[in-house]
Amino acid sequence: MNFVFISPNFPEGYYAFLAGLKKVGFNVLGVGDAPYDSLHPIARESMTEYYRCYEMNKFEKQCEALKYFEEKYGHIDFIESNNEYWLRNDAALRERFNVDGLRPDYMDNITNKAEMKKFFLKGGAKVARYHLVDNKENCLMFINKVKYPVFVKPVVGVGAQKTFKIKDEKDLDRFLKGKEYGVTYIMEEFITGDLISFDGVCNSKGEVVICDQSHFPTPVDRVFNERLDEFYYTSAYVEPEFEKIGRAVVKAFGIKKRFFHIEFFQLTVDKPGLGKKGDYIGLECNMRPPGGSTPDMINFALSTSCHQVWADVMMFDENREPTNYEKYICMSATRRDRFSYVYTDQEIKDKYKNDICMSGRNPDIFADAMGNDFYYAKFKNLEDALEFAHFVLKKK
């Protein structure tokens, strides 16, 4: 079976997906703009052939690459990038080459933050009330209903860029005057809660075959906009009620054989008109692996390879990795160059030499969103995991 992987060079860690595909028997074919010699050695070893597409931003150029593969190897069975940037592109390629999977006519359901709310509701999750930003008068009518503050972000897009917390009318005026032309924004009631994600892989029936939950104590928009250091953790211990809702939402979206990263708020106070403390509020879905090195953290927390589980599902429609794994909480603590910290890199590694799974420096392209130096360590309980994070991030 022929599997075309789009942009296998970015992020670099995606070589693990390629290796997983090869292991289960796929003929792995890559299309990307990076020189072949610059690819990770495992990526090169895992692919039967790599087509360097010098103009990846031009759809027809990618079509030329796939046509070449089709003529040489036969029908293409799967096309995937596992990358948010290429999701719509992947869908268009599938339609052009008659390949199963998400098609262009479905993409708004999983990329448009207003459209995806109906699937959260279908899955039994509550969602924040919203207004698509048009003019000041209508914005004020919405705000009068939900009260300040409100949160504004592009209705299509990921990450914390171009997000705004609006506390009063002056903030509203400032936003309306400076918002980017041609970009549609969604305005939502502000939610006081903890950000939690439900991550995993589902099969062709939309059934979850592997999952975890990740917690983000520091708001993502603050980490990005204020250049903060941060910690967050991925846990194999999924709260039963959260897992029930997460599985129902995955099913409601109707996705098949995909990685997913679905974000929720858990209310920390009652929110009139929305829910009670402890309720889960659907935020947004991302039908690809969680960003950064979180897939590695999933591997450490679940004592398995989520990359291989995904490949198993693509070939066999089931998880064929061991399921009697040790469960952990994997903590990420990320430092910024602009801060001075009490403990040195060596002191951290000496104290937690039996717990640290990975450490290093993020590529500059990710530094604004993810920080500079990272440490991942796994623990059996949250108390020890938090102690580790506080040790790493203690400032002078």
PDB file of all heavy atoms in Angstrom, residues 211-239:
ATOM      1  N   CYS A 211      -5.447   7.237  24.314  1.00  0.00           N
ATOM      2  CA  CYS A 211      -5.743   8.616  24.696  1.00  0.00           C
ATOM      3  C   CYS A 211      -4.981   9.010  25.946  1.00  0.00           C
ATOM      4  O   CYS A 211      -4.497   8.178  26.707  1.00  0.00           O
ATOM      5  CB  CYS A 211      -7.243   8.828  24.896  1.00  0.00           C
ATOM      6  SG  CYS A 211      -7.957   7.901  26.283  1.00  0.00           S
ATOM      7  N   ASP A 212      -4.899  10.311  26.157  1.00  0.00           N
ATOM      8  CA  ASP A 212      -4.311  10.897  27.349  1.00  0.00           C
ATOM      9  C   ASP A 212      -5.001  12.218  27.599  1.00  0.00           C
ATOM     10  O   ASP A 212      -5.819  12.670  26.787  1.00  0.00           O
ATOM     11  CB  ASP A 212      -2.802  11.143  27.155  1.00  0.00           C
ATOM     12  CG  ASP A 212      -2.559  12.257  26.147  1.00  0.00           C
ATOM     13  OD1 ASP A 212      -2.534  11.978  24.927  1.00  0.00           O
ATOM     14  OD2 ASP A 212      -2.423  13.431  26.559  1.00  0.00           O
ATOM     15  N   GLN A 213      -4.672  12.871  28.700  1.00  0.00           N
ATOM     16  CA  GLN A 213      -5.146  14.235  28.912  1.00  0.00           C
ATOM     17  C   GLN A 213      -3.953  15.098  29.315  1.00  0.00           C
ATOM     18  O   GLN A 213      -3.072  14.663  30.063  1.00  0.00           O
ATOM     19  CB  GLN A 213      -6.251  14.314  29.964  1.00  0.00           C
ATOM     20  CG  GLN A 213      -5.857  13.965  31.379  1.00  0.00           C
ATOM     21  CD  GLN A 213      -7.037  14.071  32.329  1.00  0.00           C
ATOM     22  OE1 GLN A 213      -8.059  13.423  32.144  1.00  0.00           O
ATOM     23  NE2 GLN A 213      -6.895  14.886  33.368  1.00  0.00           N
ATOM     24  N   SER A 214      -3.903  16.304  28.769  1.00  0.00           N
ATOM     25  CA  SER A 214      -2.836  17.247  29.080  1.00  0.00           C
ATOM     26  C   SER A 214      -3.424  18.470  29.756  1.00  0.00           C
ATOM     27  O   SER A 214      -4.534  18.918  29.421  1.00  0.00           O
ATOM     28  CB  SER A 214      -2.090  17.663  27.804  1.00  0.00           C
ATOM     29  OG  SER A 214      -1.366  16.576  27.261  1.00  0.00           O
ATOM     30  N   HIS A 215      -2.670  19.017  30.712  1.00  0.00           N
ATOM     31  CA  HIS A 215      -3.105  20.182  31.484  1.00  0.00           C
ATOM     32  C   HIS A 215      -2.150  21.348  31.236  1.00  0.00           C
ATOM     33  O   HIS A 215      -0.927  21.168  31.260  1.00  0.00           O
ATOM     34  CB  HIS A 215      -3.119  19.863  32.981  1.00  0.00           C
ATOM     35  CG  HIS A 215      -4.127  18.820  33.362  1.00  0.00           C
ATOM     36  ND1 HIS A 215      -5.233  19.102  34.128  1.00  0.00           N
ATOM     37  CD2 HIS A 215      -4.202  17.500  33.077  1.00  0.00           C
ATOM     38  CE1 HIS A 215      -5.943  18.000  34.303  1.00  0.00           C
ATOM     39  NE2 HIS A 215      -5.333  17.012  33.678  1.00  0.00           N
ATOM     40  N   PHE A 216      -2.716  22.535  31.036  1.00  0.00           N
ATOM     41  CA  PHE A 216      -1.935  23.737  30.740  1.00  0.00           C
ATOM     42  C   PHE A 216      -2.267  24.812  31.785  1.00  0.00           C
ATOM     43  O   PHE A 216      -3.170  25.638  31.568  1.00  0.00           O
ATOM     44  CB  PHE A 216      -2.250  24.235  29.334  1.00  0.00           C
ATOM     45  CG  PHE A 216      -2.018  23.201  28.264  1.00  0.00           C
ATOM     46  CD1 PHE A 216      -3.000  22.268  27.944  1.00  0.00           C
ATOM     47  CD2 PHE A 216      -0.805  23.132  27.601  1.00  0.00           C
ATOM     48  CE1 PHE A 216      -2.785  21.301  26.974  1.00  0.00           C
ATOM     49  CE2 PHE A 216      -0.582  22.161  26.626  1.00  0.00           C
ATOM     50  CZ  PHE A 216      -1.567  21.248  26.312  1.00  0.00           C
ATOM     51  N   PRO A 217      -1.550  24.824  32.914  1.00  0.00           N
ATOM     52  CA  PRO A 217      -1.879  25.748  34.004  1.00  0.00           C
ATOM     53  C   PRO A 217      -1.756  27.226  33.628  1.00  0.00           C
ATOM     54  O   PRO A 217      -2.519  28.056  34.111  1.00  0.00           O
ATOM     55  CB  PRO A 217      -0.861  25.383  35.089  1.00  0.00           C
ATOM     56  CG  PRO A 217      -0.507  23.963  34.802  1.00  0.00           C
ATOM     57  CD  PRO A 217      -0.507  23.871  33.305  1.00  0.00           C
ATOM     58  N   THR A 218      -0.789  27.571  32.767  1.00  0.00           N
ATOM     59  CA  THR A 218      -0.620  28.963  32.339  1.00  0.00           C
ATOM     60  C   THR A 218      -1.323  29.165  31.010  1.00  0.00           C
ATOM     61  O   THR A 218      -1.069  28.404  30.066  1.00  0.00           O
ATOM     62  CB  THR A 218       0.864  29.323  32.183  1.00  0.00           C
ATOM     63  OG1 THR A 218       1.559  29.029  33.394  1.00  0.00           O
ATOM     64  CG2 THR A 218       1.031  30.806  31.868  1.00  0.00           C
ATOM     65  N   PRO A 219      -2.223  30.150  30.903  1.00  0.00           N
ATOM     66  CA  PRO A 219      -2.929  30.369  29.642  1.00  0.00           C
ATOM     67  C   PRO A 219      -1.971  30.488  28.465  1.00  0.00           C
ATOM     68  O   PRO A 219      -0.964  31.205  28.539  1.00  0.00           O
ATOM     69  CB  PRO A 219      -3.690  31.681  29.885  1.00  0.00           C
ATOM     70  CG  PRO A 219      -3.893  31.721  31.363  1.00  0.00           C
ATOM     71  CD  PRO A 219      -2.646  31.111  31.948  1.00  0.00           C
ATOM     72  N   VAL A 220      -2.273  29.774  27.386  1.00  0.00           N
ATOM     73  CA  VAL A 220      -1.388  29.730  26.229  1.00  0.00           C
ATOM     74  C   VAL A 220      -1.161  31.115  25.645  1.00  0.00           C
ATOM     75  O   VAL A 220      -0.054  31.443  25.207  1.00  0.00           O
ATOM     76  CB  VAL A 220      -1.961  28.775  25.160  1.00  0.00           C
ATOM     77  CG1 VAL A 220      -1.085  28.779  23.911  1.00  0.00           C
ATOM     78  CG2 VAL A 220      -2.063  27.355  25.717  1.00  0.00           C
ATOM     79  N   ASP A 221      -2.200  31.962  25.627  1.00  0.00           N
ATOM     80  CA  ASP A 221      -2.035  33.291  25.050  1.00  0.00           C
ATOM     81  C   ASP A 221      -1.051  34.130  25.858  1.00  0.00           C
ATOM     82  O   ASP A 221      -0.283  34.923  25.309  1.00  0.00           O
ATOM     83  CB  ASP A 221      -3.380  34.014  24.938  1.00  0.00           C
ATOM     84  CG  ASP A 221      -4.053  34.224  26.278  1.00  0.00           C
ATOM     85  OD1 ASP A 221      -4.254  33.227  27.004  1.00  0.00           O
ATOM     86  OD2 ASP A 221      -4.374  35.379  26.612  1.00  0.00           O
ATOM     87  N   ARG A 222      -1.016  33.930  27.173  1.00  0.00           N
ATOM     88  CA  ARG A 222      -0.063  34.668  28.007  1.00  0.00           C
ATOM     89  C   ARG A 222       1.362  34.171  27.776  1.00  0.00           C
ATOM     90  O   ARG A 222       2.306  34.962  27.734  1.00  0.00           O
ATOM     91  CB  ARG A 222      -0.430  34.533  29.481  1.00  0.00           C
ATOM     92  CG  ARG A 222      -1.669  35.306  29.908  1.00  0.00           C
ATOM     93  CD  ARG A 222      -1.728  35.406  31.417  1.00  0.00           C
ATOM     94  NE  ARG A 222      -0.566  36.115  31.935  1.00  0.00           N
ATOM     95  CZ  ARG A 222      -0.067  35.950  33.163  1.00  0.00           C
ATOM     96  NH1 ARG A 222      -0.619  35.068  33.986  1.00  0.00           N
ATOM     97  NH2 ARG A 222       0.979  36.635  33.555  1.00  0.00           N
ATOM     98  N   VAL A 223       1.524  32.858  27.634  1.00  0.00           N
ATOM     99  CA  VAL A 223       2.855  32.305  27.369  1.00  0.00           C
ATOM    100  C   VAL A 223       3.435  32.927  26.109  1.00  0.00           C
ATOM    101  O   VAL A 223       4.609  33.332  26.070  1.00  0.00           O
ATOM    102  CB  VAL A 223       2.793  30.770  27.215  1.00  0.00           C
ATOM    103  CG1 VAL A 223       4.136  30.215  26.756  1.00  0.00           C
ATOM    104  CG2 VAL A 223       2.382  30.125  28.540  1.00  0.00           C
ATOM    105  N   PHE A 224       2.600  33.046  25.075  1.00  0.00           N
ATOM    106  CA  PHE A 224       3.074  33.590  23.801  1.00  0.00           C
ATOM    107  C   PHE A 224       3.227  35.105  23.852  1.00  0.00           C
ATOM    108  O   PHE A 224       4.287  35.643  23.523  1.00  0.00           O
ATOM    109  CB  PHE A 224       2.110  33.211  22.678  1.00  0.00           C
ATOM    110  CG  PHE A 224       2.531  33.725  21.325  1.00  0.00           C
ATOM    111  CD1 PHE A 224       3.444  33.027  20.556  1.00  0.00           C
ATOM    112  CD2 PHE A 224       2.023  34.921  20.839  1.00  0.00           C
ATOM    113  CE1 PHE A 224       3.850  33.510  19.321  1.00  0.00           C
ATOM    114  CE2 PHE A 224       2.421  35.418  19.605  1.00  0.00           C
ATOM    115  CZ  PHE A 224       3.337  34.707  18.845  1.00  0.00           C
ATOM    116  N   ASN A 225       2.180  35.787  24.261  1.00  0.00           N
ATOM    117  CA  ASN A 225       2.185  37.245  24.192  1.00  0.00           C
ATOM    118  C   ASN A 225       3.130  37.897  25.197  1.00  0.00           C
ATOM    119  O   ASN A 225       3.697  38.955  24.929  1.00  0.00           O
ATOM    120  CB  ASN A 225       0.762  37.789  24.396  1.00  0.00           C
ATOM    121  CG  ASN A 225      -0.163  37.407  23.248  1.00  0.00           C
ATOM    122  OD1 ASN A 225       0.256  37.336  22.096  1.00  0.00           O
ATOM    123  ND2 ASN A 225      -1.425  37.139  23.556  1.00  0.00           N
ATOM    124  N   GLU A 226       3.303  37.272  26.366  1.00  0.00           N
ATOM    125  CA  GLU A 226       4.150  37.851  27.411  1.00  0.00           C
ATOM    126  C   GLU A 226       5.505  37.159  27.504  1.00  0.00           C
ATOM    127  O   GLU A 226       6.311  37.487  28.374  1.00  0.00           O
ATOM    128  CB  GLU A 226       3.426  37.777  28.761  1.00  0.00           C
ATOM    129  CG  GLU A 226       2.100  38.529  28.777  1.00  0.00           C
ATOM    130  CD  GLU A 226       1.358  38.349  30.096  1.00  0.00           C
ATOM    131  OE1 GLU A 226       2.026  38.245  31.144  1.00  0.00           O
ATOM    132  OE2 GLU A 226       0.108  38.325  30.062  1.00  0.00           O
ATOM    133  N   ARG A 227       5.765  36.210  26.604  1.00  0.00           N
ATOM    134  CA  ARG A 227       7.032  35.489  26.569  1.00  0.00           C
ATOM    135  C   ARG A 227       7.373  34.906  27.933  1.00  0.00           C
ATOM    136  O   ARG A 227       8.461  35.089  28.473  1.00  0.00           O
ATOM    137  CB  ARG A 227       8.168  36.397  26.083  1.00  0.00           C
ATOM    138  CG  ARG A 227       7.942  37.025  24.715  1.00  0.00           C
ATOM    139  CD  ARG A 227       7.836  35.952  23.619  1.00  0.00           C
ATOM    140  NE  ARG A 227       7.840  36.545  22.287  1.00  0.00           N
ATOM    141  CZ  ARG A 227       6.751  36.898  21.628  1.00  0.00           C
ATOM    142  NH1 ARG A 227       5.560  36.710  22.183  1.00  0.00           N
ATOM    143  NH2 ARG A 227       6.831  37.400  20.428  1.00  0.00           N
ATOM    144  N   LEU A 228       6.430  34.166  28.501  1.00  0.00           N
ATOM    145  CA  LEU A 228       6.621  33.575  29.816  1.00  0.00           C
ATOM    146  C   LEU A 228       7.283  32.209  29.701  1.00  0.00           C
ATOM    147  O   LEU A 228       7.166  31.530  28.682  1.00  0.00           O
ATOM    148  CB  LEU A 228       5.267  33.408  30.513  1.00  0.00           C
ATOM    149  CG  LEU A 228       4.424  34.666  30.736  1.00  0.00           C
ATOM    150  CD1 LEU A 228       3.103  34.277  31.390  1.00  0.00           C
ATOM    151  CD2 LEU A 228       5.171  35.675  31.589  1.00  0.00           C
ATOM    152  N   ASP A 229       7.979  31.804  30.770  1.00  0.00           N
ATOM    153  CA  ASP A 229       8.337  30.399  30.853  1.00  0.00           C
ATOM    154  C   ASP A 229       7.073  29.664  31.301  1.00  0.00           C
ATOM    155  O   ASP A 229       6.083  30.292  31.706  1.00  0.00           O
ATOM    156  CB  ASP A 229       9.514  30.153  31.797  1.00  0.00           C
ATOM    157  CG  ASP A 229       9.325  30.765  33.185  1.00  0.00           C
ATOM    158  OD1 ASP A 229       8.180  31.088  33.534  1.00  0.00           O
ATOM    159  OD2 ASP A 229      10.329  30.920  33.911  1.00  0.00           O
ATOM    160  N   GLU A 230       7.087  28.341  31.240  1.00  0.00           N
ATOM    161  CA  GLU A 230       5.850  27.636  31.554  1.00  0.00           C
ATOM    162  C   GLU A 230       6.118  26.183  31.919  1.00  0.00           C
ATOM    163  O   GLU A 230       7.210  25.651  31.688  1.00  0.00           O
ATOM    164  CB  GLU A 230       4.887  27.656  30.360  1.00  0.00           C
ATOM    165  CG  GLU A 230       5.370  26.835  29.174  1.00  0.00           C
ATOM    166  CD  GLU A 230       4.261  26.435  28.218  1.00  0.00           C
ATOM    167  OE1 GLU A 230       3.077  26.451  28.587  1.00  0.00           O
ATOM    168  OE2 GLU A 230       4.595  26.092  27.073  1.00  0.00           O
ATOM    169  N   PHE A 231       5.099  25.575  32.473  1.00  0.00           N
ATOM    170  CA  PHE A 231       5.102  24.133  32.627  1.00  0.00           C
ATOM    171  C   PHE A 231       3.720  23.617  32.254  1.00  0.00           C
ATOM    172  O   PHE A 231       2.720  24.319  32.389  1.00  0.00           O
ATOM    173  CB  PHE A 231       5.479  23.709  34.054  1.00  0.00           C
ATOM    174  CG  PHE A 231       4.469  24.069  35.113  1.00  0.00           C
ATOM    175  CD1 PHE A 231       3.428  23.196  35.432  1.00  0.00           C
ATOM    176  CD2 PHE A 231       4.553  25.278  35.799  1.00  0.00           C
ATOM    177  CE1 PHE A 231       2.492  23.522  36.403  1.00  0.00           C
ATOM    178  CE2 PHE A 231       3.620  25.607  36.771  1.00  0.00           C
ATOM    179  CZ  PHE A 231       2.589  24.732  37.083  1.00  0.00           C
ATOM    180  N   TYR A 232       3.669  22.419  31.731  1.00  0.00           N
ATOM    181  CA  TYR A 232       2.405  21.729  31.493  1.00  0.00           C
ATOM    182  C   TYR A 232       2.693  20.236  31.550  1.00  0.00           C
ATOM    183  O   TYR A 232       3.852  19.818  31.507  1.00  0.00           O
ATOM    184  CB  TYR A 232       1.765  22.134  30.163  1.00  0.00           C
ATOM    185  CG  TYR A 232       2.391  21.570  28.914  1.00  0.00           C
ATOM    186  CD1 TYR A 232       1.895  20.425  28.302  1.00  0.00           C
ATOM    187  CD2 TYR A 232       3.491  22.197  28.315  1.00  0.00           C
ATOM    188  CE1 TYR A 232       2.456  19.915  27.145  1.00  0.00           C
ATOM    189  CE2 TYR A 232       4.068  21.692  27.158  1.00  0.00           C
ATOM    190  CZ  TYR A 232       3.546  20.549  26.576  1.00  0.00           C
ATOM    191  OH  TYR A 232       4.115  20.047  25.434  1.00  0.00           O
ATOM    192  N   TYR A 233       1.649  19.453  31.683  1.00  0.00           N
ATOM    193  CA  TYR A 233       1.898  18.025  31.824  1.00  0.00           C
ATOM    194  C   TYR A 233       0.877  17.179  31.075  1.00  0.00           C
ATOM    195  O   TYR A 233      -0.268  17.581  30.864  1.00  0.00           O
ATOM    196  CB  TYR A 233       1.956  17.609  33.292  1.00  0.00           C
ATOM    197  CG  TYR A 233       0.721  17.906  34.120  1.00  0.00           C
ATOM    198  CD1 TYR A 233      -0.279  16.951  34.293  1.00  0.00           C
ATOM    199  CD2 TYR A 233       0.582  19.138  34.767  1.00  0.00           C
ATOM    200  CE1 TYR A 233      -1.396  17.214  35.075  1.00  0.00           C
ATOM    201  CE2 TYR A 233      -0.532  19.413  35.549  1.00  0.00           C
ATOM    202  CZ  TYR A 233      -1.514  18.443  35.705  1.00  0.00           C
ATOM    203  OH  TYR A 233      -2.623  18.709  36.473  1.00  0.00           O
ATOM    204  N   THR A 234       1.358  16.015  30.650  1.00  0.00           N
ATOM    205  CA  THR A 234       0.551  15.024  29.958  1.00  0.00           C
ATOM    206  C   THR A 234       0.408  13.815  30.860  1.00  0.00           C
ATOM    207  O   THR A 234       1.400  13.307  31.386  1.00  0.00           O
ATOM    208  CB  THR A 234       1.215  14.623  28.631  1.00  0.00           C
ATOM    209  OG1 THR A 234       1.225  15.750  27.759  1.00  0.00           O
ATOM    210  CG2 THR A 234       0.476  13.474  27.967  1.00  0.00           C
ATOM    211  N   SER A 235      -0.823  13.369  31.039  1.00  0.00           N
ATOM    212  CA  SER A 235      -1.084  12.300  31.995  1.00  0.00           C
ATOM    213  C   SER A 235      -1.763  11.101  31.348  1.00  0.00           C
ATOM    214  O   SER A 235      -2.691  11.258  30.543  1.00  0.00           O
ATOM    215  CB  SER A 235      -1.969  12.819  33.134  1.00  0.00           C
ATOM    216  OG  SER A 235      -2.306  11.777  34.025  1.00  0.00           O
ATOM    217  N   ALA A 236      -1.281   9.918  31.718  1.00  0.00           N
ATOM    218  CA  ALA A 236      -1.949   8.687  31.275  1.00  0.00           C
ATOM    219  C   ALA A 236      -3.192   8.410  32.103  1.00  0.00           C
ATOM    220  O   ALA A 236      -4.012   7.566  31.730  1.00  0.00           O
ATOM    221  CB  ALA A 236      -0.979   7.509  31.380  1.00  0.00           C
ATOM    222  N   TYR A 237      -3.335   9.125  33.217  1.00  0.00           N
ATOM    223  CA  TYR A 237      -4.495   8.941  34.093  1.00  0.00           C
ATOM    224  C   TYR A 237      -5.608   9.877  33.623  1.00  0.00           C
ATOM    225  O   TYR A 237      -5.667  11.047  34.025  1.00  0.00           O
ATOM    226  CB  TYR A 237      -4.124   9.245  35.538  1.00  0.00           C
ATOM    227  CG  TYR A 237      -2.930   8.471  36.055  1.00  0.00           C
ATOM    228  CD1 TYR A 237      -1.682   9.070  36.153  1.00  0.00           C
ATOM    229  CD2 TYR A 237      -3.049   7.135  36.440  1.00  0.00           C
ATOM    230  CE1 TYR A 237      -0.579   8.376  36.625  1.00  0.00           C
ATOM    231  CE2 TYR A 237      -1.957   6.422  36.912  1.00  0.00           C
ATOM    232  CZ  TYR A 237      -0.721   7.052  37.000  1.00  0.00           C
ATOM    233  OH  TYR A 237       0.369   6.351  37.469  1.00  0.00           O
ATOM    234  N   VAL A 238      -6.468   9.389  32.769  1.00  0.00           N
ATOM    235  CA  VAL A 238      -7.535  10.219  32.210  1.00  0.00           C
ATOM    236  C   VAL A 238      -8.758  10.137  33.121  1.00  0.00           C
ATOM    237  O   VAL A 238      -9.236   9.040  33.433  1.00  0.00           O
ATOM    238  CB  VAL A 238      -7.911   9.766  30.786  1.00  0.00           C
ATOM    239  CG1 VAL A 238      -8.947  10.711  30.185  1.00  0.00           C
ATOM    240  CG2 VAL A 238      -6.663   9.707  29.910  1.00  0.00           C
ATOM    241  N   GLU A 239      -9.253  11.300  33.556  1.00  0.00           N
ATOM    242  CA  GLU A 239     -10.410  11.337  34.440  1.00  0.00           C
ATOM    243  C   GLU A 239     -11.610  10.720  33.713  1.00  0.00           C
ATOM    244  O   GLU A 239     -11.897  11.068  32.562  1.00  0.00           O
ATOM    245  CB  GLU A 239     -10.709  12.774  34.846  1.00  0.00           C
ATOM    246  CG  GLU A 239      -9.568  13.429  35.614  1.00  0.00           C
ATOM    247  CD  GLU A 239      -9.709  14.941  35.709  1.00  0.00           C
ATOM    248  OE1 GLU A 239     -10.807  15.447  35.385  1.00  0.00           O
ATOM    249  OE2 GLU A 239      -8.723  15.601  36.074  1.00  0.00           O
TER     250      GLU A 239
END
